[in-house]
Amino acid sequence: MKSPIKIAGAALGITAGLFLLMNSPGCRPTTTTTAVTGDAASKVYVKPGTHDEFYNFVSGGFSGQLAIYGLPSGRLLREVPVFSVDPESGYGYSEETKPMLMTTHGFIPWDDSHHPELSQTNAVPDGRWCFINGNNTPRIGLIDLGTFRTHSMIEIPNSAGNHSSPFSTPNTEYVIAGTRFSVPMGDDASRDVSIKSYKENFKGTVSFIKPEPETGKMSIAFQIVTPPVNFDLARTGKGVSDGWFFFSCYNTEQAYSLLEVNASQRDKDFIMCVNWKLAEQLAKEGKGKKVAGKHYSNWWNHNTHTAESTIYEEVLQLDPKDHPGLVYFMPCPKSPHGCDVNPTGEYIVGSGKLAALIPVFSFKKIQEAIAKNDVEGDFAGIPVLKYESVLHGEVKKPGLGPLHTEFDANGNAYTSFFVSSEIVKWNVEKLEVVDRVPTYYSIGHLMVPGGNSAKPWGKYVVAYNKITKDRYLPTGPELTQSAQLYSIEGDKMELLLDFPTTGEPHYAQAAPADLIKPREVKFFKIEENQHPYVAKGEKETRVERKGKEVHIWMTTIRSHFSPDNIEGVKLGDEVYFHVTNLEQDWDVPHGFAMKGAANAELLIMPGETQTLKWIPTKVGVQPFYCTDFCSALHQEMQGYIRVSPANSNVPLNAYTVSVDAEL
């Protein structure tokens, strides 16, 4: 028997050989002119004063953020801080936003975000929310597409690695998350368990998270316990398959070391089919078991402009071995990555990234196989349906390294191929390849606007590439990653545009701008501001001592702070600047920064109140100022705070003095 190291070397040799083959000059166009036509620029041009047709929501990968681009221009419009602190906006630094990043591990100011998911109504994006996963510290963030801010955050207990997440049901009843890594859970979670006992003591979970329709607050409705495998990607059923969910699974070998080789032994892994309507019914009937699962649910209160946290101690879990009909496995060629459902809901596409074919399963056949108990045995007590019984057919020799599939409204599918660096278009019913185009280079995810929904808007497919090589100006050893925009309006795909991306983009979703723009919040109404430290006018500004805490009710408006002089602060005090932006005009934020502060600035939108905590470290006078250019007199927008010795008797005072008063 070969040693693991020799096997690994052989596997690496094959992979390297394929990579060199696909990156050789004979396999790629040597210039962009071989792939881009002369009229491409006109098709992506958005003239000054006009808007893009689509919003494109792109994961930031290890940046922990969500990036928003316009399509077809490829222009970066905004980066929304979700799981990572952001000194530009003060997110995670202001006292109001800090609770958004609280977990049972404490304050976690970073994460690894992979998969945006737009909220849906009738299986179609509705432009209300965008969800995104935190892979490292299992979390899901909800971004409000009226404010383009993180509105809600939930920590997922009994989970290790939240890669397989978040995926919405057709009416956003739930967003669903599967574990990437199986680990000891429940009573075994805090017990000294041998890694070698993987099969006996390790488990996975699939979590069903419920966002409240009116508030966006998220809670965990229930979890389904699974055998110890790894979950990758998933999609909800829709149309004929509404009520079901489909997850790709790998490492059915249940290996715990050198997975590159040891989790690639079987010819087939699984797609897991979950009857989530049955699970919902069982949970409502009180079936299942309450288990320990401490977790935070954080929510942004728009009225008080402050995040609130709720801590839960347990969750409800359902074990499919106790509830027949809840979960089934069906074989899928080895190491599946993508798992996608076509717009009608009839076909489920698996993407075995180590296979040279694409299997397409039929929901009708799945139901027939379940009804006939047409199984080939079980896996850890869960029935395994026969491959031939549930298969619609296979797309033969479509390319090397299939990963992800999206759909248009004309019966076509588009699949990314990492090894052969291409997008392949194929007909779902006929299982025939109809077109292919090269990408530059090593494509991961791809995206068609609405391509995961019941109503694809089509028009474009975007490739999110892992390697760029020579596409942009070099920037040292780390090159920008690249997105590429292709037209799919004709029979043949056409490369229109390259544009660089931030972080490490994985998946993305897009929706028409006309669906989202009507929800935009231009400013916060000052009369509706219920922040406990709001000052709705300069007459309401003041300073107050509460023991060692000094609270300053402050306002900002073009172009001054009120008050702009504070005295009576002592060394050892904690100073809280509660700054309210009195502007009631669109796009007139104000900044606030304290010289020498150890955290960050504030960026305060019109009508909003935000708080900066500052602990003075020395006696003296320190200036503060506006960081966001707001008017011709922006440079004059400043103030001073005087810090006296701890035993000083200087009275606490805050004031603004006009020239006339001085005279």
Side-chain angles (χ1 to χ4, degrees):
M1 181 180 291
K2 293 183 179 180
S3 70
I5 293 178
K6 288 182 180 179
I7 295 172
L12 288 170
I14 294 170
T15 304
L18 285 170
F19 180 82
L20 291 172
L21 173 65
M22 299 315 302
N23 282 274
S24 65
C27 293
R28 298 185 185 282
T30 55
T31 67
T32 56
T33 57
T34 59
V36 180
T37 60
D39 64 345
S42 65
K43 294 179 180 179
V44 300
Y45 179 66
V46 178
K47 66 181 180 180
T50 59
H51 294 167
D52 279 283
E53 184 178 358
F54 291 96
Y55 282 100
N56 185 26
F57 302 91
V58 184
S59 71
F62 43 69
S63 78
Q65 317 292 45
L66 176 73
I68 293 139
Y69 297 82
L71 295 180
S73 73
R75 297 178 294 190
L76 177 62
L77 304 177
R78 178 163 298 281
E79 289 193 42
V80 177
V82 185
F83 303 108
S84 300
V85 294
D86 178 38
E88 178 184 353
S89 65
Y91 179 82
Y93 291 103
S94 72
E95 296 305 295
E96 289 81 3
T97 58
K98 284 179 182 178
M100 293 298 291
L101 298 175
M102 281 301 300
T103 74
T104 54
H105 305 281
F107 179 81
I108 304 295
W110 79 280
D111 217 309
D112 182 19
S113 58
H114 284 212
H115 305 123
E117 177 86 347
L118 294 170
S119 58
Q120 299 181 1
T121 300
N122 297 324
V124 179
D126 55 23
R128 186 179 186 190
W129 296 327
C130 182
F131 301 92
I132 192 166
N133 65 319
N135 185 18
N136 184 72
T137 304
R139 289 177 283 182
I140 288 176
L142 180 159
I143 295 90
D144 185 324
L145 297 185
T147 61
F148 283 76
R149 288 180 168 186
T150 302
H151 178 61
S152 187
M153 184 90 67
I154 192 164
E155 184 182 10
I156 305 174
N158 304 313
S159 175
N162 183 35
H163 176 266
S164 184
S165 166
F167 308 105
S168 175
T169 52
N171 289 293
T172 321
E173 298 96 338
Y174 305 100
V175 287
I176 302 175
T179 53
R180 175 178 178 179
F181 312 102
S182 289
V183 294
M185 294 183 188
D187 294 337
D188 291 330
S190 57
R191 194 161 59 87
D192 187 14
V193 175
S194 170
I195 298 172
K196 294 180 181 179
S197 68
Y198 185 99
K199 289 185 180 181
E200 295 76 28
N201 292 320
F202 287 50
K203 296 177 182 177
T205 56
V206 173
S207 301
F208 285 71
I209 293 126
K210 188 171 187 61
E212 293 181 5
E214 297 302 320
T215 67
K217 289 181 181 179
M218 291 190 286
S219 60
I220 297 176
F222 54 88
Q223 295 180 321
I224 297 176
V225 181
T226 70
V229 295
N230 297 49
F231 293 105
D232 206 326
L233 296 175
R235 280 287 178 246
T236 181
K238 58 181 77 76
V240 295
S241 57
D242 187 12
W244 286 77
F245 224 91
F246 306 94
F247 274 90
S248 61
C249 314
Y250 64 103
N251 191 24
T252 55
E253 295 85 353
Q254 298 182 317
Y256 51 85
S257 178
L258 204 64
L259 264 63
E260 176 189 19
V261 173
N262 293 328
S264 303
Q265 299 298 306
R266 296 164 59 110
D267 288 335
K268 289 184 173 65
D269 286 292
F270 293 132
I271 298 293
M272 185 173 75
C273 309
V274 179
N275 185 340
W276 71 261
K277 286 286 190 181
L278 174 58
E280 180 182 57
Q281 178 185 335
L282 292 170
K284 288 180 178 178
E285 292 173 353
K287 304 293 176 61
K289 178 183 178 183
K290 288 285 184 74
V291 301
K294 187 175 181 180
H295 60 283
Y296 272 73
S297 178
N298 308 321
W299 174 71
W300 183 258
N301 187 324
H302 280 301
N303 295 322
T304 63
H305 301 189
T306 304
E308 303 171 359
S309 294
T310 303
I311 302 174
Y312 296 93
E313 298 290 339
E314 59 184 13
V315 293
L316 177 69
Q317 285 190 346
L318 300 168
D319 191 329
K321 288 185 290 187
D322 299 330
H323 304 288
L326 182 58
V327 175
Y328 296 88
F329 285 128
M330 56 188 186
C332 182
K334 64 166 57 180
S335 298
H337 190 35
C339 179
D340 300 283
V341 180
N342 83 314
T344 68
E346 170 58 24
Y347 298 115
I348 299 96
V349 179
S351 295
K353 59 181 182 284
L354 298 183
L357 54 82
I358 299 175
V360 181
F361 303 96
S362 162
F363 182 74
K364 180 181 178 181
K365 290 185 175 181
I366 293 170
Q367 294 304 297
E368 290 174 350
I370 291 172
K372 296 176 182 177
N373 195 32
D374 193 3
V375 300
E376 58 181 42
D378 71 272
F379 179 83
I382 295 176
V384 179
L385 304 173
K386 288 184 179 177
Y387 181 69
E388 294 77 10
S389 299
V390 295
L391 189 70
H392 168 60
E394 297 172 341
V395 184
K396 302 290 187 180
K397 298 181 179 180
L400 296 175
L403 294 183
H404 307 283
T405 299
E406 298 244 319
F407 305 89
D408 64 21
N410 303 313
N412 299 308
Y414 301 78
T415 301
S416 58
F417 288 82
F418 177 79
V419 178
S420 52
S421 290
E422 60 184 335
I423 297 174
V424 174
K425 176 182 177 181
W426 50 278
N427 183 275
V428 178
E429 280 282 353
K430 298 179 180 179
L431 304 172
E432 295 175 352
V433 173
V434 294
D435 191 25
R436 63 178 72 234
V437 292
T439 62
Y440 306 91
Y441 307 99
S442 298
I443 181 176
H445 283 268
L446 83 174
M447 183 278 301
V448 173
N452 73 309
S453 75
K455 182 186 175 183
W457 289 284
K459 195 164 187 177
Y460 305 111
V461 61
V462 183
Y464 298 95
N465 303 320
K466 297 299 184 184
I467 301 173
T468 54
K469 299 283 189 184
D470 54 1
R471 306 302 284 183
Y472 306 101
L473 290 171
T475 51
E478 184 182 9
L479 301 179
T480 181
Q481 294 187 334
S482 178
Q484 294 188 296
L485 180 75
Y486 297 79
S487 170
I488 58 172
E489 291 187 285
D491 292 335
K492 297 291 184 180
M493 292 177 281
E494 178 188 5
L495 176 59
L496 302 178
L497 179 71
D498 290 2
F499 60 95
T501 51
T502 60
E504 187 203 2
H506 292 260
Y507 184 48
Q509 289 196 350
D514 290 343
L515 186 67
I516 296 168
K517 284 193 296 184
R519 291 182 42 77
E520 67 187 358
V521 174
K522 288 183 165 60
F523 57 84
F524 300 103
K525 295 178 181 179
I526 191 74
E527 64 271 18
E528 296 178 359
N529 186 332
Q530 298 175 27
H531 192 286
Y533 290 94
V534 63
K536 296 184 179 181
E538 293 186 9
K539 291 182 179 180
E540 297 181 14
T541 61
R542 66 186 190 277
V543 61
E544 183 178 312
R545 176 177 291 280
K546 298 179 180 179
K548 287 289 186 179
E549 296 180 358
V550 174
H551 293 266
I552 303 164
W553 283 254
M554 180 178 286
T555 62
T556 178
I557 195 168
R558 288 168 288 185
S559 296
H560 67 274
F561 295 103
S562 181
D564 59 6
N565 287 268
I566 299 104
E567 295 185 312
V569 172
K570 300 176 184 180
L571 202 62
D573 286 343
E574 293 181 353
V575 181
Y576 293 84
F577 294 93
H578 307 288
V579 187
T580 300
N581 183 347
L582 296 179
E583 307 282 358
Q584 292 290 268
D585 195 5
W586 196 16
D587 196 27
V588 190
H590 287 293
F592 178 85
M594 185 68 222
K595 294 292 286 186
N599 39 23
E601 61 140 20
L602 300 177
L603 190 63
I604 313 142
M605 295 299 117
E608 183 178 35
T609 301
Q610 289 287 285
T611 301
L612 183 74
K613 178 182 178 180
W614 176 61
I615 301 177
T617 58
K618 62 182 179 180
V619 171
V621 175
Q622 294 287 340
F624 52 84
Y625 66 102
C626 177
T627 53
D628 192 274
F629 191 92
C630 53
S631 73
L633 295 176
H634 165 74
Q635 197 73 0
E636 284 76 11
M637 198 166 175
Q638 64 174 60
Y640 293 102
I641 186 166
R642 174 186 172 186
V643 180
S644 300
N647 60 356
S648 169
N649 58 5
V650 175
L652 187 63
N653 190 22
Y655 53 90
T656 303
V657 181
S658 69
V659 173
D660 291 341
E662 286 285 280
L663 294 175

